[in-house]
Amino acid sequence: MSVLEVKGIGKSFGSLEVLKNIEFSVRKGECVALIGSSGSGKTTLLRCLNFLETPNSGTITVNGETLFDAADTATHSETERRKNRLHFGLVFQSFNLFPQYTVLKNVTLASELLAKERPDYKQNKKQIFAEIEEHAKATLAKMGLSDKLENYPHQLSGGQQQRVAIARALALSPDILCFDEPTSALDPELTGEVLRVIKELAEADTTMIIVTHEMQFARDVADTVLFMDGGVILERGTPEEVFGNPKEERTRHFLDRYFSG
């Protein structure tokens, strides 16, 4: 069974139809790359999956549970949206770290806030927070940031800030980790360190959806590539199929800009 099933997702802003009948699935441990020109709907799709936007049509199912159904208003409430977001971890292109908190606090904050809703919170607060901190430190160690725990975001390079953002998303153990152009805000020399981390996550069978303009990276890391154009998934397949032998003329034209010559 797929971890994620997306069926018939549509999204409009006023008269502008941004997503049109989007359908795809993601298996556990699969890495899906979303590629396409700016304005093709990639980021809007990612925001719909993370319940930052409400689709006008369609359903979103995770692990067999329907989290969103456009026809069922009970799934549209803010309470449901907050709960459903926990299935996804989202890494923004602009990091979105809290500047007033240390690296460690940025990673533990969400878990600490969620812990307050646990029935045993008052009795076991010290132990719960210690476990959260231990998990956060282990996650930051995987990002190569053990020596930056007490630093603040302004004391880090862009690549380090993005790795903190990845650690923060992983700290809540999401079913699906999503990236929205994770290297677009980085200087070219810092891009490689972030891409290496994402590649290591892919090799560890982390379930991921990556919106990216790094075509060679998508070709090397993704299990499945979805090419979006005009709000639809125009082409899908393995990297070998999409990059090596695209069926659609629009896909070929898009990829020629990256791989010609």
Side-chain angles (χ1 to χ4, degrees), residues 111-122:
S111 296
E112 290 171 353
L113 293 173
L114 287 171
K116 293 180 180 181
E117 300 176 9
R118 289 174 50 167
D120 62 338
Y121 173 72
K122 289 184 178 179

Side-chain angles (χ1 to χ4, degrees), residues 27 29-33 202 205-206 218 220-225 237-240:
R27 303 183 307 275
E30 184 178 14
C31 179
V32 175
D205 292 331
T206 305
D220 292 342
V221 172
D223 299 299
T224 301
V225 177
T238 65
E240 291 76 14

Side-chain angles (χ1 to χ4, degrees), residues 38 43 91-95 158 162 179-188 190-192 194-195 198 210-214:
S38 297
T43 293
V91 180
F92 298 90
Q93 56 183 283
S94 55
F95 321 141
Q162 191 61 295
F179 294 88
D180 184 14
E181 298 282 12
T183 61
S184 66
L186 300 177
D187 293 332
L190 298 177
T191 295
V194 172
L195 295 182
I198 299 174
I210 307 172
V211 171
T212 184
H213 61 275
E214 300 282 350

Side-chain angles (χ1 to χ4, degrees), residues 148-199:
K148 303 294 184 183
L149 301 183
E150 298 306 317
N151 286 70
Y152 289 85
H154 75 272
Q155 297 173 311
L156 306 178
S157 70
Q160 289 169 336
Q161 290 185 58
Q162 191 61 295
R163 283 185 279 149
V164 174
I166 295 171
R168 180 176 62 182
L170 286 170
L172 293 173
S173 301
D175 294 299
I176 302 144
L177 185 59
C178 301
F179 294 88
D180 184 14
E181 298 282 12
T183 61
S184 66
L186 300 177
D187 293 332
E189 63 266 26
L190 298 177
T191 295
E193 67 183 72
V194 172
L195 295 182
R196 280 194 297 274
V197 167
I198 299 174
K199 187 173 183 179

Side-chain angles (χ1 to χ4, degrees), residues 200-249:
E200 289 169 3
L201 291 171
E203 290 170 350
D205 292 331
T206 305
T207 308
M208 294 187 288
I209 301 173
I210 307 172
V211 171
T212 184
H213 61 275
E214 300 282 350
M215 294 300 110
Q216 189 60 55
F217 173 72
R219 189 171 192 167
D220 292 342
V221 172
D223 299 299
T224 301
V225 177
L226 306 179
F227 172 67
M228 291 189 66
D229 185 63
V232 302
I233 296 175
L234 190 63
E235 188 154 354
R236 68 186 77 202
T238 65
E240 291 76 14
E241 290 168 340
V242 175
F243 290 111
N245 188 30
K247 297 181 177 64
E248 300 291 334
E249 178 60 33

Side-chain angles (χ1 to χ4, degrees), residues 10-19 44 54-56:
K11 177 64 181 176
S12 297
F13 296 99
S15 60
L16 179 62
E17 192 176 14
V18 179
L19 298 176
T44 299
T54 302
N56 302 111

Side-chain angles (χ1 to χ4, degrees), residues 63-81:
N63 292 324
E65 177 187 359
T66 299
L67 304 185
F68 175 84
D69 184 344
D72 182 2
T73 56
T75 65
H76 302 186
S77 72
E78 187 55 37
T79 299
E80 287 299 307
R81 287 157 64 92

